[in-house]
Amino acid sequence: MTKTDLKVKAEKSFNDFCIQVNLSVGKEIMVLFGPSGAGKTQTLNMIAGLTTPNNGEITFNNTTFYRNGMEGPKVNIPARNRGVGYVFQDYALFPHLSALQNVSFPLHGDDNAKTKAITLLKKMNLSHVADLYPKELSGGQQQRISIARALASKPNILLLDEPFSALDISVKEYLQKELKELQLELGIVVIYVTHNIEDLFAIGDRISVMHDGQIQQVGPVSEVFLNPANETVLNVLGIQNVFTCKVIDISSDRVLMNWDGIKLETPPFNTKIGNSVRIYIYPQDVKIVYPDRPLTRAVKYNQVTGNVVSRKSMAGDNTIRMQLSNGHDLHVKYHNHSYIPITVSLGDKLTVSLRKDGLINLGSDNVAKTYT
């Protein structure tokens, strides 16, 4: 477990909306992930000191940023004294200042401000635009200037609110790589807000899933995807292929279920015959069955047939949506290298196998939980 440096336990009410955050972040990139309106930006604002919680406690190492309604004296350190760098979604650069002046701004009064700002521009590969103004810079350059300015005062915590959402894919990938390298080099706490799955996988060490003002689950990215805490997390992450099945038989090596007329075997788990259970399977764990080849163990179980109703290909990845005989949709995803060339067209009848070990039990009585 990563050593914890930042702890946030705070509550804030906005008319009919309430944010309740219980979060611990170490020297890592923590992705605060959720839909618009989940409370992600307001959580950053509470950490930065731009929004004052109603009650709770926010601490970094041995320093208390905020405390109210908790044991100990009330504390509310001003934003300028918290050592927090903030990169806003719209960059928030001063239009009347050059790139160098923007980066120098937090260093006002420092005799070495210009030298330090030039060093940061070099680190961000931007020394050649030092004398240009924001309107003369590309979106990617403006974003890097914004990050350099946030780093100028050597913050212990860096907050980024949807920082790369308006950038081209190639620029975004470059900046994500630079940000990861910067975090490792500086050893600081980074909280990165996004609702984009690709950003999450590209940059996150851990993920905190947020919905309706509540932290639903926290953990390593792969662990949260493989073991979502509840259906809210499933929905927020956009995980497809979630089924409600009825348990019809149990043995030592499998649970047999009825999914609206289709029988599925899953690995054994604690349940009872007659229970309704929610299960899911990643599209990558649905395997296409070749009609002219011997069955392998990978596709032996849970074969179903349906018609292809949509397909999409991008960068060698193929996504298919099938409609099955029981009326449900099934999503299949595979890479070109995964199969000997296969042509799939709209309307084709396709047989696939829901990999037995890929069927994951979500349970029958899941409720929202908070994890830290």
Side-chain angles (χ1 to χ4, degrees), residues 42-93:
Q42 289 301 334
T43 297
L44 295 193
N45 289 343
M46 287 192 288
I47 295 169
L50 303 179
T51 296
T52 302
N54 298 121
N55 57 68
E57 187 173 59
I58 302 172
T59 63
F60 177 74
N61 287 345
N62 298 319
T63 301
T64 300
F65 289 168
Y66 171 84
R67 185 192 294 126
N68 185 43
M70 309 283 284
E71 185 177 347
K74 290 185 178 181
V75 178
N76 192 9
I77 294 178
R80 64 182 179 276
N81 297 330
R82 293 194 180 191
V84 175
Y86 203 141
V87 178
F88 298 91
Q89 184 175 357
D90 60 358
Y91 315 144
L93 297 176

Side-chain angles (χ1 to χ4, degrees), residues 12-298:
K12 178 68 176 179
S13 296
F14 301 89
N15 297 324
D16 58 348
F17 183 70
C18 181
I19 298 174
Q20 294 176 312
V21 178
N22 190 348
L23 188 62
S24 299
V25 190
K27 294 178 179 178
E28 61 186 334
I29 298 179
M30 167 69 80
V31 173
L32 190 56
F33 187 89
S36 298
K40 305 184 299 297
T41 296
Q42 289 301 334
T43 297
L44 295 193
N45 289 343
M46 287 192 288
I47 295 169
L50 303 179
T51 296
T52 302
N54 298 121
N55 57 68
E57 187 173 59
I58 302 172
T59 63
F60 177 74
N61 287 345
N62 298 319
T63 301
T64 300
F65 289 168
Y66 171 84
R67 185 192 294 126
N68 185 43
M70 309 283 284
E71 185 177 347
K74 290 185 178 181
V75 178
N76 192 9
I77 294 178
R80 64 182 179 276
N81 297 330
R82 293 194 180 191
V84 175
Y86 203 141
V87 178
F88 298 91
Q89 184 175 357
D90 60 358
Y91 315 144
L93 297 176
F94 299 112
H96 62 290
L97 299 182
S98 68
L100 180 61
Q101 290 169 331
N102 263 284
V103 178
S104 302
F105 187 82
L107 300 170
H108 180 71
D110 187 327
D111 293 338
N112 297 314
K114 184 175 180 180
T115 300
K116 291 178 179 178
I118 289 173
T119 300
L120 277 167
L121 286 174
K122 287 180 179 177
K123 184 184 290 289
M124 302 299 291
N125 296 314
L126 288 171
S127 54
H128 62 292
V129 302
D131 297 325
L132 300 183
Y133 290 84
K135 67 180 181 180
E136 301 173 292
L137 303 173
S138 69
Q141 289 171 333
Q142 290 184 55
Q143 190 58 276
R144 279 183 282 166
I145 294 295
S146 181
I147 293 172
R149 185 180 63 183
L151 293 173
S153 56
K154 294 187 176 180
N156 296 308
I157 301 165
L158 179 62
L159 309 177
L160 301 105
D161 190 3
E162 301 273 7
F164 308 142
S165 59
L167 302 179
D168 293 338
I169 291 175
S170 59
V171 177
K172 179 190 294 190
E173 290 175 347
Y174 171 75
L175 291 178
Q176 287 170 338
K177 179 176 178 291
E178 285 216 330
L179 180 59
K180 286 185 75 71
E181 291 174 353
L182 275 170
Q183 190 279 325
L184 288 171
E185 178 186 341
L186 301 175
I188 59 176
V189 171
V190 175
I191 302 180
Y192 182 106
V193 160
T194 187
H195 62 270
N196 184 286
I197 287 285
E198 287 76 16
D199 287 0
L200 165 64
F201 277 102
I203 205 162
D205 296 312
R206 289 197 301 147
I207 176 179
S208 174
V209 181
M210 193 169 193
H211 181 263
D212 200 22
Q214 309 283 322
I215 300 293
Q216 296 287 326
Q217 187 174 3
V218 178
V221 175
S222 59
E223 182 179 303
V224 171
F225 268 80
L226 287 173
N227 298 288
N230 51 61
E231 285 201 52
T232 297
V233 174
L234 278 171
N235 291 333
V236 170
L237 295 177
I239 294 175
Q240 299 165 319
N241 296 340
V242 183
F243 319 131
T244 299
C245 303
K246 181 159 285 189
V247 177
I248 57 176
D249 193 33
I250 301 170
S251 66
S252 60
D253 64 343
R254 59 105 173 99
V255 173
L256 185 61
M257 300 189 185
N258 183 342
W259 174 35
D260 290 341
I262 293 176
K263 290 183 180 180
L264 298 176
E265 289 190 28
T266 76
F269 62 92
N270 186 24
T271 187
K272 295 179 179 178
I273 293 176
N275 279 0
S276 289
V277 178
R278 296 284 276 174
I279 60 172
Y280 68 97
I281 186 167
Y282 284 105
Q284 294 91 327
D285 279 328
V286 181
K287 304 299 182 183
I288 296 174
V289 178
Y290 283 96
D292 56 347
R293 291 174 173 244
L295 293 179
T296 64
R297 186 180 183 280

